[in-house]
């Protein structure tokens, strides 16, 4: 790879991801790096986060920061002082974009909602609420600690405190009919939310739901055709409400797309700190993948020992970068510009299969830009495999 053909991360932007690894309880469908702990030493965690953040800034000095995302786990369980300290430190280490997006994920329990004002005062300007359902029975099945009434109250509080509000819902749940989902989604859209993340329930290996399914439990899940009907209804209802899908599972009013997630999908750079956080950094013209230690105590010990919590920092081969770019970029309705991804003179695209997939209406092509159609989006992984030589 020549110096003038190195990866250019700048069109995708630059972000910071902070992973808070703790939750009040582990949801049975969740395979994220989250842990339940009765005792959390908040001053110790704040000091470790600040140390890891300072270390990461050494490789990215002079950059403009477009977004900060506090994810988890349940970051609304963080001490607001820690959130404030991290935002203030980030402002000293990098230049903030004038329109920087600072998002914090929250659950709609009364304890967490009580901290919304403090988070807003700390600098958070976008909240993402894990509502998941407006049906109490289904919330209990999903292992959630809030009620439907809690969810509605949390949304109202968030609307009063933050300029931008998003929330998540899960569908394709047990015993969920198409009519019931349409009614539930219509209620969500009527709340005039800025952004919706709508996920089909997926049974991930190693989760309690997976074990229950293996034992013959977890009855009432939709079959393939039923899931497809739910997905199609989701797309139609959101589009008719002026919130079309800008990504496979995400819908937004115009201009309210998640800028942080767009950094991921558009193959920008981002720093990842906290247990289990991943990052992508272009250093010296080379795109690198970083990963931190997963276990909270191991991460804390690594930061104390090394000044950072990274377990791996590896260069990404151009072929692997292209594959990742396809998988991430084709999630977007706007697609990707192939010219940007022909790095170092390499071309790993199967042009014959591209033509075939376009002719079969799974992909669209406009010049060097390609994207998935409505028919292609549900089978994205298959399309990516067909596009690679």
């Amino acid at each position: 790879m020549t110096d003038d053909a190195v990866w250019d991360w700048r069109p995708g932007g630059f972000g910071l991801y902070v992973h808070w690894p703790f939750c009040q309880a582990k949801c049975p469908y969740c395979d994220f790096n989250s842990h339940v702990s009765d005792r959390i030493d908040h001053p110790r965690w704040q000091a470790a986060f600040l140390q890891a953040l300072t270390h990461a800034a050494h490789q990215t000095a002079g950059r403009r920061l477009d977004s900060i995302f506090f994810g988890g786990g349940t970051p609304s369980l963080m001490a607001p002082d820690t959130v404030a300290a991290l935002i203030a430190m980030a402002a000293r280490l990098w230049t903030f974009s004038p329109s920087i997006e600072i998002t914090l994920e929250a659950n709609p329990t009364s304890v967490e909602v009580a901290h919304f004002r403090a988070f807003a005062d700390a600098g958070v300007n976008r909240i993402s609420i894990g509502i998941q359902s407006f049906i109490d029975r289904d919330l209990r099945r999903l292992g959630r600690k809030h009620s439907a009434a809690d969810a509605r109250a949390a949304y109202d509080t968030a609307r009063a405190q933050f300029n931008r509000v998003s929330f998540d819902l899960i569908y394709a749940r047990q015993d969920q009919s198409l009519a019931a989902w349409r009614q539930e989604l219509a209620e969500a859209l009527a709340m005039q939310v800025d952004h919706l993340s709508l996920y089909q329930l997926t049974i991930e290996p190693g989760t309690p739901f997976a074990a229950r399914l293996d034992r013959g439990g977890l009855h009432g899940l939709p079959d393939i055709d039923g899931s497809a009907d739910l997905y199609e209804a989701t797309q139609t209802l959101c589009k008719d409400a002026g919130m079309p899908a800008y990504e496979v599972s995400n819908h937004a009013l115009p201009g309210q797309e998640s800028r942080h997630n767009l950094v991921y999908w558009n193959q920008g750079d981002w720093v990842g700190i906290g247990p289990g956080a991943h990052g992508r950094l272009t250093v010296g013209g080379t795109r690198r993948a970083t990963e931190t230690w997963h276990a909270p105590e191991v991460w804390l010990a690594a930061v104390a020992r090394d000044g950072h919590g990274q377990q791996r920092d590896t260069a990404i081969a151009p072929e692997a970068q292209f594959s990742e770019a396809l998988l991430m970029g084709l999630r977007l309705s706007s697609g990707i510009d192939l010219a940007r991804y022909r790095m170092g003179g390499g071309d790993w695209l199967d042009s014959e299969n591209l033509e075939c997939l376009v002719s079969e209406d799974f992909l669209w092509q406009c010049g060097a830009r390609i994207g998935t159609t409505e028919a292609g989006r549900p089978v994205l992984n298959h399309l990516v495999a067909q596009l690679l030589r």
Side-chain angles (χ1 to χ4, degrees), residues 133-301:
S133 175
F134 287 110
I135 310 298
D136 284 329
R137 178 200 64 180
D138 290 1
L139 287 170
R140 290 191 293 270
R141 283 177 162 179
L142 292 170
R144 306 298 289 172
K145 296 299 182 183
H146 65 274
S147 67
D150 292 334
R152 296 183 182 96
Y155 175 76
D156 290 341
T157 301
R159 261 285 168 238
Q161 304 287 358
F162 299 96
N163 292 330
R164 302 174 65 203
V165 180
S166 173
F167 62 76
D168 300 356
L169 293 176
I170 294 174
Y171 65 98
R173 307 189 303 259
Q174 291 176 269
D175 302 315
Q176 183 183 43
S177 69
L178 178 59
W181 171 236
R182 291 176 64 89
Q183 181 177 349
E184 188 175 5
L185 181 54
E187 176 185 348
L189 292 166
M191 295 169 72
Q192 298 183 325
V193 65
D194 306 318
H195 184 284
L196 282 173
S197 296
L198 305 172
Y199 302 110
Q200 289 198 37
L201 178 62
T202 303
I203 309 304
E204 300 289 355
T207 62
F209 266 11
R212 194 179 307 172
L213 187 65
D214 289 342
R215 294 194 303 266
L218 213 64
H219 300 292
L221 294 176
D223 58 18
I224 293 176
D225 290 338
S227 293
D229 290 342
L230 289 163
Y231 175 81
E232 183 177 346
T234 300
Q235 307 312 305
T236 301
L237 281 171
C238 289
K239 184 177 181 180
D240 290 347
M243 295 185 70
Y246 70 97
E247 188 269 345
V248 171
S249 301
N250 287 273
H251 303 254
L253 296 173
Q256 295 299 322
E257 298 84 0
S258 169
R259 296 169 198 163
H260 186 82
N261 285 340
L262 286 172
V263 171
Y264 300 158
W265 296 322
N266 284 319
Q267 294 290 284
D269 270 11
W270 71 93
V271 168
I273 66 169
H278 291 257
R280 293 291 185 273
L281 290 176
T282 305
V283 180
T286 300
R287 178 87 158 166
R288 308 190 66 84
T290 65
E291 183 179 356
T292 61
W293 293 97
H294 280 231
E297 287 299 323
V298 174
W299 182 83
L300 283 172

Side-chain angles (χ1 to χ4, degrees), residues 24-105:
Q24 287 182 322
K26 184 77 171 179
C27 296
Y29 57 86
C30 177
D31 70 337
F32 293 163
N33 185 36
S34 59
H35 306 263
V36 178
S37 178
D38 294 332
R39 292 186 177 182
I40 299 172
D41 187 341
H42 286 277
R44 184 185 180 197
W45 277 94
Q46 177 176 319
F49 276 130
L50 292 173
Q51 190 173 0
L53 190 62
T54 302
H55 178 273
H58 293 159
Q59 296 178 304
T60 54
R63 293 195 184 188
R64 187 186 74 170
L65 192 62
D66 298 302
S67 68
I68 303 174
F69 195 99
F70 293 91
T74 308
S76 48
L77 296 175
M78 294 177 74
D81 286 349
T82 298
V83 174
L86 279 166
I87 294 172
M89 177 63 80
R92 290 194 290 272
L93 296 173
W94 295 287
T95 300
F96 274 14
S97 165
S99 59
I100 188 169
E101 174 189 274
I102 305 178
T103 302
L104 184 136
E105 291 182 330

Side-chain angles (χ1 to χ4, degrees), residues 322 326 330 334-342 347 349 354 358 364-371:
F322 183 72
L326 283 178
L330 288 179
S334 57
I336 64 173
D337 184 355
L338 289 174
R340 184 178 171 222
Y341 298 93
R342 292 193 172 102
D347 188 355
L349 182 74
L354 172 60
V358 170
W364 55 261
Q365 182 171 17
C366 182
R369 198 164 196 89
I370 65 170

